[in-house]
């Protein structure tokens, strides 16, 4: 596919020799696959993994409880694997239960009384081999609302990866366009674009994101756009520098002499030779976007409940650290740390691979 003497081929060979870079690359691929099939592999495949059972809130990893599933009365859409099920078999944890005639009598979990205070018709329950009570294990425990923490973590990967892809895409489109125009044409155009870059860069990133979010409103896509609009500056500066150094090369001068339009020269002759450092910056920006989104969710202006965001999960449970249930905040924290570290290691590996001096 690539010539063995091409820079891209040599960079790929150097990247393959970087153990941590390759490991991080496959880890990111694994996370992407998990995100794509999140509702298929998630124990709780309801929309946003939002099935609550307050009687089993804040339980530790490996918690097991008996209960029954109540049938959904309506048919589910065939595309549930994309956005989750809206009609689910609701799980109800029980402490004691007994079947009499066509009715299941039971007590809610943690209710120790011997007299049954609730009942449900058997025809409304999901059964397997005529067994209406089944055991359910929560691998990572439950959050403060009694939701499956593993399912929330799996669905939450979608938020982190989505914010990364959208933010990086927006930053590349704006940054490459402005940086290329400034570097190629120079003069007053360059001065105007550099003034815009310097003004934007002087504003703290988090403050700028908060301001944009407040203008656009709280929501899923608003955060994506806000983060993307703050990450184009470094891309623009790097692309500008690359265009300034490359536009004086002989092949560019020859292209101008032949009357090739400026747009073609910029896109076909200069940009391909300036893209290597942009790829490295994109990996770092991906990690930064995940951190910014987590911070915004922690502040309450990121993805809004019940959407499972790792940052919001830390916000909801950081106070549980002092009551001996630190895992409720540590688990999503480890998720953020591992994904950010993976992209940073990929960025470092790409930097070394594209370093012609080495």
């Amino acid at each position: 596919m690539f010539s063995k003497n091409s820079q891209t081929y040599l960079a790929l060979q150097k990247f393959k020799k970087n153990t941590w870079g390759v490991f991080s690359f496959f880890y990111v691929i694994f996370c992407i696959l998990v995100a794509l099939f999140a509702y298929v592999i998630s124990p709780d495949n309801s929309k946003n993994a939002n099935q609550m059972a307050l009687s089993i809130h804040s339980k530790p990893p490996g918690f097991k409880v008996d209960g029954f599933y109540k049938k959904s009365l309506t048919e589910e859409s065939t595309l549930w694997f994309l956005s989750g099920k809206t009609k689910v078999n609701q799980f109800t944890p029980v402490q004691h239960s007994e079947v009499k005639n066509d009715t299941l009598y039971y007590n809610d979990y943690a209710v120790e009384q011997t007299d049954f205070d609730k009942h449900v018709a058997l025809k409304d329950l999901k059964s397997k081999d005529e067994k209406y009570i089944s055991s359910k294990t929560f691998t990572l425990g439950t959050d403060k609302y009694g939701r499956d923490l593993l399912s929330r973590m799996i669905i939450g990967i979608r938020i982190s990866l989505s914010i990364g892809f959208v933010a990086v895409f927006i930053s590349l489109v704006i940054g490459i366009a402005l940086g290329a125009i400034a570097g190629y044409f120079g003069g007053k155009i360059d001065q105007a674009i550099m003034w815009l870059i310097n003004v934007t860069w002087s504003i703290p990133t988090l403050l700028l994101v908060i301001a944009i979010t407040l203008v656009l409103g709280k929501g899923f896509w608003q955060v994506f756009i806000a983060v993307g609009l703050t990450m184009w500056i470094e891309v623009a500066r790097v692309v500008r520098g690359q265009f300034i150094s490359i536009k004086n090369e002989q092949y560019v001068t020859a292209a101008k002499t032949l009357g090739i339009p400026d747009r073609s020269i910029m896109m076909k002759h200069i940009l391909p030779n300036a893209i290597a450092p942009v790829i490295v910056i994109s990996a770092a920006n991906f990690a930064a976007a995940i951190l910014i989104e987590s911070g915004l969710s922690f502040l309450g202006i990121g993805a809004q409940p019940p959407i499972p965001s790792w940052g919001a999960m830390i916000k909801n449970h950081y106070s549980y650290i002092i009551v001996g249930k630190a895992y409720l905040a540590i688990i999503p924290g480890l998720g953020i740390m591992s994904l950010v570290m993976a992209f940073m290691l990929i960025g470092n590996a790409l930097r070394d691979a594209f370093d012609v001096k080495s």
Side-chain angles (χ1 to χ4, degrees):
M1 185 176 181
F2 300 109
S3 172
K4 290 187 176 182
N5 294 323
S6 68
Q7 183 180 352
T8 303
Y9 178 82
L10 295 174
L12 288 175
Q13 294 305 310
K14 291 171 67 176
F15 181 83
K16 290 179 181 178
K17 296 178 181 179
N18 190 310
T19 304
W20 284 110
V22 173
F23 175 79
S24 299
F25 174 77
F26 282 109
Y27 176 72
V28 170
I29 295 298
F30 170 76
C31 290
I32 292 174
L33 292 176
V34 170
L36 290 175
F37 300 100
Y39 284 108
V40 177
I41 63 178
S42 175
D44 179 7
N45 53 20
S46 63
K47 186 176 180 62
N48 294 320
N50 198 39
Q51 281 198 78
M52 300 183 186
L54 293 177
S55 60
I56 55 171
H57 70 90
S58 310
K59 295 301 179 181
F63 172 71
K64 184 180 293 187
V65 66
D66 292 333
F68 61 84
Y69 289 91
K70 196 170 184 179
K71 292 180 181 178
S72 173
L73 300 179
T74 55
E75 292 293 329
E76 183 57 64
S77 169
T78 56
L79 298 177
W80 63 268
F81 58 90
L82 295 177
S83 58
K85 292 184 176 181
T86 55
K87 289 91 176 178
V88 296
N89 298 316
Q90 183 68 39
F91 179 76
T92 302
V94 301
Q95 186 72 29
H96 305 289
S97 62
E98 183 179 349
V99 175
K100 291 183 179 179
N101 299 325
D102 295 328
T103 305
L104 173 69
Y105 295 88
Y106 67 96
N107 291 329
D108 286 330
Y109 179 79
V111 176
E112 295 295 342
Q113 67 184 48
T114 56
D115 295 334
F116 299 117
D117 57 356
K118 294 185 177 180
H119 64 274
V120 60
L122 295 182
K123 63 181 179 62
D124 295 331
L125 304 182
K126 179 183 177 182
S127 66
K128 184 177 182 180
D129 299 330
E130 297 186 355
K131 292 183 179 180
Y132 297 95
I133 299 296
S134 59
S135 180
K136 184 174 182 178
T137 301
F138 296 86
T139 306
L140 294 182
T142 60
D143 66 5
K144 69 177 184 178
Y145 298 108
R147 297 175 295 198
D148 182 28
L149 192 58
L150 175 61
S151 299
R152 300 280 292 177
M153 287 293 296
I154 292 174
I155 308 302
I157 295 179
R158 286 188 167 190
I159 304 298
S160 295
L161 291 178
S162 297
I163 185 70
F165 281 119
V166 175
V168 168
F169 176 77
I170 293 175
S171 68
L172 288 177
V173 171
I174 298 176
I176 291 177
L178 292 180
I181 293 172
Y184 185 80
F185 292 104
K188 293 184 178 180
I189 296 177
D190 182 29
Q191 293 177 8
I193 293 177
M194 284 305 299
W195 177 85
L196 176 63
I197 291 175
N198 291 330
V199 169
T200 308
W201 207 356
S202 66
I203 305 173
T205 300
L206 189 58
L207 181 61
L208 186 59
V209 170
I210 291 174
I212 295 174
T213 304
L214 293 177
V215 172
L216 298 177
K218 295 180 180 180
F220 190 70
W221 289 104
Q222 290 90 326
V223 175
F224 289 8
I225 296 172
V227 175
L229 290 176
T230 63
M231 302 187 71
W232 60 269
I233 302 170
E234 189 173 0
V235 176
R237 288 177 65 91
V238 170
V239 172
R240 172 183 175 272
Q242 290 291 308
F243 266 67
I244 290 175
S245 63
I246 296 175
K247 72 178 182 179
N248 295 319
E249 295 289 338
Q250 292 183 357
Y251 65 88
V252 177
T253 304
K256 291 180 179 178
T257 304
L258 293 173
I260 298 176
D262 291 333
R263 180 178 178 182
S264 296
I265 295 174
M266 294 168 65
M267 298 299 296
K268 296 181 180 180
H269 297 278
I270 301 180
L271 185 58
N273 293 293
I275 204 67
V278 176
I279 296 175
V280 177
I281 292 174
S282 298
N285 282 350
F286 209 114
I290 295 173
L291 285 176
I292 293 174
E293 187 279 328
S294 299
L296 291 173
S297 295
F298 185 85
L299 294 174
I301 56 177
Q304 298 300 298
I307 297 174
S309 166
W310 289 350
M313 292 165 70
I314 296 177
K315 174 194 175 185
N316 291 334
H317 299 104
Y318 74 92
S319 60
Y320 281 66
I321 295 176
I322 61 176
V323 297
K325 297 181 178 180
Y327 58 88
L328 290 172
I330 290 176
I331 290 174
L334 289 175
I336 295 172
M337 184 186 74
S338 63
L339 199 54
V340 169
M341 183 177 293
F343 278 105
M344 292 304 296
L345 290 173
I346 291 174
N348 291 338
L350 289 172
R351 179 197 61 203
D352 296 339
F354 284 107
D355 185 7
V356 294
K357 295 180 181 179
S358 63

